[in-house]
Amino acid sequence: MKKRICFIITLFLLVMWTNANAQTRVQIGDLYYELSGAYASVASSRPIPIDCRSPQASLYTKETYIIPSVVTYNGMDYTVTEIGEAAFAGWANMNASPYFDSIYAIGSKAKKIVLPPTMKTIGKYAFANCRDLTSLIIPENVTSFFDGTVFLNCDLLRDVFYLPATSPSNWYAASNTYVPTLDSYNIPSYSG
C-alpha cells in the first residue's frame, strides 16, 4: 500500500513538473508568445512550418510594436526575456522546407520595435527580412544574439543603440552603432 501511495504521489509530482515546464504558444495583444515556467519569449506570428510550399509573410504588419516587460495569461504573469527564433521573420520555400535568406521571404512591416528592459536574448532569425526596420535600442540586460542571422535582410536598419555595459555575445553593428563605452565593445561579430 505504501509503495502504491508513493508511486501515485511521484506520478502526480511528475505531471505537475511537466506541465509547469511545458511551452505554450498564445496570443496576447498583438503578439504571440511561447510561455515556459515564469518566462515568455516573443514568437513568430505563424508557427514555423516543417514544410512550406509557398512564401509565408509575417503577420506582424503594424508599423510599431512595443513589447511589454510582463505579459499576463490565465491570471499568471510571465516575464518577457527573449525574442524567439524567427519571431518577426517571414520565410520562403526552399527544397520544401522553411528558408529565411530569400528575396521572397517577407518579414514584419514594423519600422519600430521597442524591446523591454527585461530582454536578455535575441534568437536566430529574430528580425530576419524586416526590411522596413530602421533603428533598434538594445536594452541593458541583453547578453546575447544568436548569430548573424538575427538581422538578416534588414535593408533599412541603420541605427542600433546598445545600452548594456558590455557587448552582448555575437553583437551586431549597423551603419550607425552607438555603445556606452568603446572599451567594452570591440570588433562586432556581425555588421550590416
Side-chain angles (χ1 to χ4, degrees):
M1 184 67 157
K2 279 186 175 182
K3 286 183 180 180
R4 188 172 190 179
I5 291 173
C6 286
F7 174 76
I8 291 171
I9 291 172
T10 303
L11 184 61
F12 174 76
L13 292 174
L14 180 62
V15 168
M16 294 299 288
W17 180 82
T18 302
N19 288 340
N21 291 303
Q23 283 196 343
T24 303
R25 178 183 159 79
V26 298
Q27 183 176 8
I28 302 170
D30 294 329
L31 296 168
Y32 285 88
Y33 297 89
E34 293 284 341
L35 306 177
S36 181
Y39 302 101
S41 173
V42 178
S44 176
S45 61
R46 306 172 188 255
I48 298 172
I50 294 170
D51 177 11
C52 62
R53 300 294 173 176
S54 61
Q56 300 291 310
S58 171
L59 297 176
Y60 293 144
T61 57
K62 289 177 50 180
E63 191 170 295
T64 301
Y65 286 94
I66 299 173
I67 301 169
S69 295
V70 175
V71 291
T72 303
Y73 182 73
N74 283 344
M76 300 209 32
D77 290 340
Y78 298 86
T79 304
V80 181
T81 59
E82 178 180 21
I83 302 291
E85 179 178 351
F88 289 92
W91 50 83
N93 182 34
M94 181 63 131
N95 302 323
S97 64
Y99 189 63
F100 300 94
D101 187 9
S102 169
I103 59 169
Y104 302 108
I106 301 169
S108 171
K109 296 292 185 187
K111 292 180 181 178
K112 181 177 183 180
I113 299 172
V114 179
L115 305 178
T118 54
M119 190 65 53
K120 294 181 180 179
T121 306
I122 299 178
K124 185 177 186 179
Y125 298 111
F127 301 105
N129 308 311
C130 291
R131 290 179 168 88
D132 296 331
L133 186 63
T134 58
S135 67
L136 194 65
I137 298 173
I138 307 301
E140 65 181 314
N141 290 317
V142 172
T143 59
S144 67
F145 290 88
F146 182 81
D147 64 12
T149 64
V150 169
F151 296 108
L152 186 70
N153 297 328
C154 289
D155 304 330
L156 296 180
L157 183 61
R158 297 288 180 261
D159 299 313
V160 179
F161 299 85
Y162 285 89
L163 301 181
T166 58
S167 64
S169 64
N170 297 316
W171 73 288
Y172 172 89
S175 298
N176 300 311
T177 302
Y178 304 91
V179 298
T181 64
L182 292 177
D183 293 339
S184 57
Y185 282 79
N186 287 325
I187 299 170
S189 302
Y190 303 95
S191 61

